[in-house]
C-alpha cells in the first residue's frame, strides 16, 4: 500500500490515542531486542515508543513508498517542523511533539534521519569507509542522541560514546543484510575494502563466499566489534536501568557478529539473527553484570 502523510483519521487523535499508535507500531516490528524493554523506566517507555515509531516511519518512507519518495520525505520534514511551531496532524508526530516538549529535543536528530533517507534515494555505493561513517552519522547516531536526551544527557562525551554504539549497530545490520541490501541495489561494504581484498561486485551478486570474501568480512566484523567495545564505556557514565539496556544492545550486536563468524561469514545462505533463547541469556547476563 502507498504510504501517506497527513491526517489519516476522520478526527484529530488525542495524545493518548497517538501514544497507543506508537506503542503498537514499536511492538509489532522485529528487532534484535524488544523496543522499550522492561529495563527502561516506565516514565520513559512511551517516549521510547514515540521515537521508535518516528524512526521506523522515516525508514519506511525511504524504503517502501511506492513512488515520489523524495517528495514524501520533503512533506514529512515540513510536518516534523510543525512539532516546533504549531500542531502536527500525523499520529506519530502528535505523540512525538509531547516527547520533544518534555525533554527539549532539538530538530537536528530528527532532520538528520530524514536526510539519511534522502541519501538512500541517490546513493547505493560507498567508495570509502569515511563515506559510510558519514551516512551512519545521519542514519544511526541521531537515535542515540534522542535517547540520551530522555535521560538528561547532552554532553559531547556521552554523545561520542553513543555514536560508537549506534554506528556499530548500523554496521552490524549492514553485514547481517548484505544479501537483502544487494537485492535492493545497495552495497554498504566500502568499495575501497572490496578492492583491497580483491572481491568483486560480480562475485557479490552471485553470493560467492571465497577466501577473499571471508577476509573482507572478518575485517568488517572486527571494525564493528571495536566500536562496540568503545561504546560500552557509556554504560559507566549513565545511571539506573539505562545501564542494562545499553549493555544489552551492545552485547546483542556483538552476538550477531559472532553468529556471522560461526556461519563462516556466509551471509547469503542464512541471515545471522538471535534466537529468543539467546536474547533471554543475554538479558540475564546483562542484569548479572550490573
Amino acid at each position: 500500500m502507498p504510504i501517506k502523510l497527513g491526517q489519516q483519521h476522520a478526527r484529530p487523535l488525542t495524545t493518548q490515542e497517538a501514544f497507543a499508535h506508537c506503542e503498537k507500531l514499536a511492538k509489532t516490528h522485529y528487532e534484535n531486542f524488544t523496543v522499550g524493554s522492561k529495563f527502561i523506566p516506565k516514565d520513559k517507555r512511551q517516549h521510547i515508543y514515540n521515537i521508535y515509531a518516528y524512526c521506523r516511519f522515516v525508514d519506511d518512507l525511504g524504503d517502501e513508498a511506492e513512488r515520489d519518495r523524495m517528495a514524501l520525505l520533503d512533506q514529512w520534514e515540513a510536518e516534523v517542523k510543525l512539532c516546533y511551531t504549531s500542531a502536527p496532524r500525523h499520529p506519530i508526530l502528535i505523540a512525538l511533539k509531547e516527547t520533544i516538549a518534555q525533554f527539549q529535543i532539538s530538530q537536528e536528530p530528527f532532520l538528520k534521519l530524514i536526510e539519511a533517507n534522502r541519501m538512500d534515494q541517490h546513493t547505493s555505493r560507498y567508495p570509502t569507509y569515511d563515506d559510510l561513517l558519514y551516512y551512519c552519522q545521519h542514519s544511526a547516531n541521531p537515535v542515540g542522541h534522542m535517547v540520551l536526551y530522555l535521560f538528561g544527557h547532552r554532553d559531547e562525551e556521552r554523545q561520542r560514546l553513543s555514536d560508537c554504539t549506534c554506528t556499530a549497530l548500523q554496521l552490524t545490520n549492514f553485514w547481517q543484510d548484505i544479501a537483502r541490501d544487494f537485492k535492493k541495489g545497495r552495497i554498504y561494504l566500502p568499495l575501497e575494502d572490496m578492492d583491497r581484498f580483491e572481491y568483486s561486485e560480480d562475485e557479490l551478486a552471485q553470493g560467492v563466499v571465497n577466501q577473499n570474501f571471508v577476509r573482507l568480512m572478518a575485517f568488517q566484523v572486527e571494525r564493528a566489534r571495536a566500536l562496540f567495545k568503545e561504546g560500552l564505556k557509556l554504560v559507566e557514565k549513565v545511571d539506573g536501568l539505562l545501564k542494562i539496556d545499553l549493555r544489552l544492545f551492545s552485547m546483542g550486536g556483538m552476538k550477531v557478529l559472532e553468529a556471522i563468524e560461526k556461519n563462516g561469514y556466509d551471509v547469503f545462505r542464512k541471515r545471522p539473527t538471535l534466537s529468543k533463547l539467546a536474547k533471554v541469556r543475554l538479558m540475564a547476563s546483562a542484569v548479572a553484570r550490573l
Side-chain angles (χ1 to χ4, degrees):
M1 292 178 61
I3 296 174
K4 299 179 181 179
L5 301 184
Q7 190 168 354
Q8 298 189 11
H9 298 268
R11 58 173 178 77
L13 293 186
T14 66
T15 300
Q16 290 305 312
E17 288 171 330
F19 282 175
H21 177 86
C22 290
E23 181 175 356
K24 181 179 179 181
L25 183 62
K27 290 181 174 180
T28 54
H29 279 74
Y30 168 81
E31 300 293 333
N32 282 331
F33 284 99
T34 303
V35 176
S37 79
K38 293 180 180 179
F39 300 119
I40 291 291
K42 189 172 289 188
D43 64 328
K44 302 286 196 302
R45 208 170 295 164
Q46 180 62 57
H47 299 290
I48 292 289
Y49 295 147
N50 299 347
I51 287 171
Y52 176 83
Y54 174 82
C55 298
R56 181 76 266 162
F57 190 77
V58 175
D59 283 349
D60 286 347
L61 287 179
D63 282 340
E64 298 182 13
E66 293 180 358
R67 57 190 177 87
D68 300 329
R69 292 179 182 177
M70 291 293 277
L72 286 172
L73 289 166
D74 289 344
Q75 291 174 40
W76 185 246
E77 181 174 301
E79 290 258 347
V80 170
K81 291 178 178 179
L82 293 178
C83 291
Y84 295 86
T85 59
S86 56
R89 299 173 297 161
H90 195 282
I92 291 172
L93 297 182
I94 292 171
L96 190 67
K97 181 178 173 68
E98 298 298 317
T99 300
I100 289 169
Q102 184 169 337
F103 299 97
Q104 296 297 296
I105 305 176
S106 70
Q107 294 185 47
E108 182 182 19
F110 301 108
L111 300 186
K112 277 190 170 183
L113 284 177
I114 296 172
E115 186 59 29
N117 279 272
R118 287 196 183 104
M119 292 182 204
D120 281 336
Q121 308 315 307
H122 57 71
T123 303
S124 60
R125 306 289 188 277
Y126 293 85
T128 70
Y129 181 57
D130 284 343
D131 293 327
L132 189 60
L133 288 182
Y134 181 76
Y135 175 74
C136 292
Q137 288 168 13
H138 291 74
S139 68
N141 298 358
V143 181
H145 292 197
M146 294 175 200
V147 173
L148 287 177
Y149 283 134
L150 299 188
F151 290 85
H153 301 311
R154 298 171 177 268
D155 58 286
E156 289 185 9
E157 178 61 9
R158 286 188 180 90
Q159 289 189 352
R160 182 188 72 82
L161 294 174
S162 171
D163 289 348
C164 289
T165 300
C166 291
T167 294
L169 286 166
Q170 179 76 89
L171 294 179
T172 299
N173 185 247
F174 288 156
W175 312 154
Q176 191 179 29
D177 283 337
I178 285 175
R180 289 184 178 184
D181 289 331
F182 188 78
K183 288 179 180 178
K184 297 177 183 178
R186 297 174 185 167
I187 297 176
Y188 291 103
L189 288 164
L191 299 184
E192 64 179 3
D193 294 337
M194 291 178 67
D195 289 341
R196 173 183 173 184
F197 292 100
E198 299 180 344
Y199 188 79
S200 69
E201 185 170 328
D202 286 342
E203 289 173 309
L204 184 64
Q206 297 172 45
V208 173
V209 179
N210 55 20
Q211 193 58 37
N212 289 346
F213 183 73
V214 169
R215 290 169 56 238
L216 169 63
M217 288 301 297
F219 180 72
Q220 305 303 339
V221 165
E222 283 305 314
R223 186 174 251 172
R225 183 175 283 126
L227 284 169
F228 275 125
K229 289 179 179 178
E230 178 67 12
L232 274 171
K233 295 177 183 177
L234 180 60
V235 174
E236 303 308 318
K237 296 181 179 292
V238 299
D239 299 320
L241 296 175
L242 181 59
K243 288 176 175 287
I244 296 177
D245 246 42
L246 289 176
R247 183 173 288 280
L248 189 60
F249 272 90
S250 293
M251 291 170 63
M254 287 191 281
K255 280 295 182 183
V256 172
L257 295 178
E258 285 182 21
I260 293 173
E261 291 172 326
K262 289 179 180 178
N263 285 351
Y265 300 98
D266 187 348
V267 292
F268 299 104
R269 278 83 190 168
K270 182 180 179 182
R271 183 178 185 267
T273 57
L274 296 181
S275 66
K276 290 183 178 180
L277 179 59
K279 293 179 186 179
V280 170
R281 287 174 174 167
L282 283 174
M283 198 173 294
S285 176
V287 173
R289 288 284 297 271
L290 296 169

